[in-house]
């Protein structure tokens, strides 16, 4: 590593203001800070120093997403081999490699388009390249169906990065979750590529792996089947383990829980937000179930679709979520409640979590404002009482 460090230091003068490559200084700084922790220190003023920075936060979130990503790859292969009736004769490696080859292009396209825009934007504005898309780049492929076309994914990533992030000022300034904006763009612009019963199972073999399924093959998600009036033919065990059709990284509650442990152990995500999402969703689902408005038991709402994934990785976004401690309870509760209400009351949106999080993002600043004003009011009352 010292060789790489010495090389970067050697070429640094070329990217300084008087260097022949000074126009690409932001790109050099981005690569340097991605590989190494910056050694710049404050020269004046009072500053608080901590052992964690945005790069470490983003890296830990990516690590937390790895279990869901790996299981999603396996499940993509599992669903293909299961649909073809060849699962019993396939090895674990064959199933996983097919899923890996099906998912990898989506990850590559997401990062290539998103980081390309980030680099170009930073170069145009003469600013440092930010690390925010490290997480969004992996989140976006995990929340789309396996049959989502690469061209549509590229358009959605470009739209989300420009209109949901950069136009607000970049990382830390965006109001809405960037990954969910990309998914919403796909959902409303290309609905046939994001919903229905033809987009959840990969149909083409890849480099000899997988099976060629008929173009007319269909397979609905459990929520999609219920929304259309059919019964979900999956056990609770399948729902928890994740052996069901769905978006690539959203099916396995166990894999998502492993990521939640990482986020909570490192202190990156708020347990209050996570818990309140499940409490709000569970209570709302229980009321709907008790009134006979949904055929699902209340607990199945918490393990189906993107509910668990949204609670762990979307609702806990420190940029677009509530930041006050009391506000986190309210923010999460709103998400959980809205997600189930949308599912039950509007069959046209069987998922619900995407719209619930985006709606809550819009009100997160208001929630924090009300909490702060309430605290100020309480302190003023205590001050008057002492006088």
């Amino acid at each position: 590593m010292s060789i790489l460090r010495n090389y970067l230091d050697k070429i640094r003068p070329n990217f300084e203001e008087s260097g022949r490559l000074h126009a690409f200084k932001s790109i050099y700084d981005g690569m340097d800070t991605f590989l190494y922790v910056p050694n710049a220190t404050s020269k004046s003023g009072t500053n608080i120093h901590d052992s964690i920075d945005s790069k470490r936060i983003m890296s830990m979130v990516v690590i937390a997403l790895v279990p869901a990503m790996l299981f999603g790859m396996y499940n993509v292969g599992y669903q293909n081999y299961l649909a073809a009736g060849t699962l019993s004769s396939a090895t674990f490696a064959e199933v996983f490699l097919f899923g890996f080859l099906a998912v990898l292009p989506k990850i590559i396209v997401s990062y290539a388009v998103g980081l390309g825009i980030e680099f170009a934007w930073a170069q145009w504005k003469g600013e440092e390249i930010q690390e925010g898309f490290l997480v969004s780049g992996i989140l976006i492929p995990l929340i789309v169906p396996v049959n989502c076309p690469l061209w549509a994914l590229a358009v959605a990533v470009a739209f989300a990065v420009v209109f949901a992030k950069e136009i607000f000022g970049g990382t830390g300034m965006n109001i809405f979750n960037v990954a969910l904006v990309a998914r919403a763009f796909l959902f409303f612009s290309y609905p046939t590529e994001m919903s229905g019963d033809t987009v959840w199972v990969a149909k083409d073999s890849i480099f000899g792996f997988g099976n060629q399924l008929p173009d007319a093959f269909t397979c609905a998600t459990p929520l999609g089947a219920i929304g259309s009036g059919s019964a979900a033919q999956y056990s609770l065990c399948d729902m928890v383990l994740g052996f069901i059709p769905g978006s690539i990284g959203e099916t396995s509650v166990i894999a998502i829980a492993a990521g939640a442990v990482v986020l909570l152990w490192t202190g990156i995500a708020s347990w209050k937000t996570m818990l309140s999402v499940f409490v709000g969703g569970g209570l709302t689902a229980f009321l709907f179930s008790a009134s006979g408005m949904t055929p699902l038991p209340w607990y199945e709402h918490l393990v189906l679709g993107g509910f668990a994934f949204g609670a762990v990785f979307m609702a806990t976004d420190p940029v677009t979520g509530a930041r006050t401690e009391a506000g986190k309870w309210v923010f999460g509760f709103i998400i959980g409640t809205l997600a189930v209400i949308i599912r039950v009351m509007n069959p046209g949106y069987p998922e619900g979590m995407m719209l619930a999080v985006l709606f809550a993002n819009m009100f997160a600043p208001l929630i924090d404002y009300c909490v702060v004003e309430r605290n100020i009011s309480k302190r003023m009352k205590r001050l008057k009482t002492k006088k």
Side-chain angles (χ1 to χ4, degrees), residues 80 84 203-206 209-215:
N80 175 270
K203 300 177 183 178
D204 300 321
S205 60
I206 305 174
F209 294 100
N211 303 274
Q212 194 75 29
L213 301 179
D215 291 337

Side-chain angles (χ1 to χ4, degrees), residues 58 62 65 69 104-119 131-141 153 157:
M58 301 302 171
V62 171
L65 283 163
M69 179 187 67
L104 182 61
K106 290 177 171 52
I107 297 176
I108 293 175
V109 168
S110 176
Y111 274 120
V113 175
L115 290 179
I117 294 175
E118 293 244 341
F119 273 61
E131 300 93 346
F133 197 77
L134 289 177
V135 173
S136 299
I138 191 67
L139 277 174
I140 294 172
L153 184 66
V157 170

Side-chain angles (χ1 to χ4, degrees), residues 54 57-58 61 131-133 135-136 139 164-165 170-181 263 267-274 277 309-324 327-328 331-332 335 357-358 360-361 364-365 368:
S54 59
I57 292 175
M58 301 302 171
V61 176
E131 300 93 346
F133 197 77
V135 173
S136 299
L139 277 174
K165 183 181 178 184
T171 301
M173 304 297 290
N174 50 293
I175 298 174
F176 299 102
N177 185 287
V178 176
L180 285 180
V181 168
L263 294 180
I268 292 174
S270 168
W271 67 269
K272 297 177 181 178
T273 303
M274 283 190 201
V277 173
F309 193 90
V312 173
F313 296 110
M314 301 299 187
T316 58
D317 181 3
V319 175
T320 59
R323 304 186 185 188
T324 56
K328 292 174 182 177
F331 179 77
I335 291 175
V357 175
L358 290 174
N361 287 162
D368 284 337

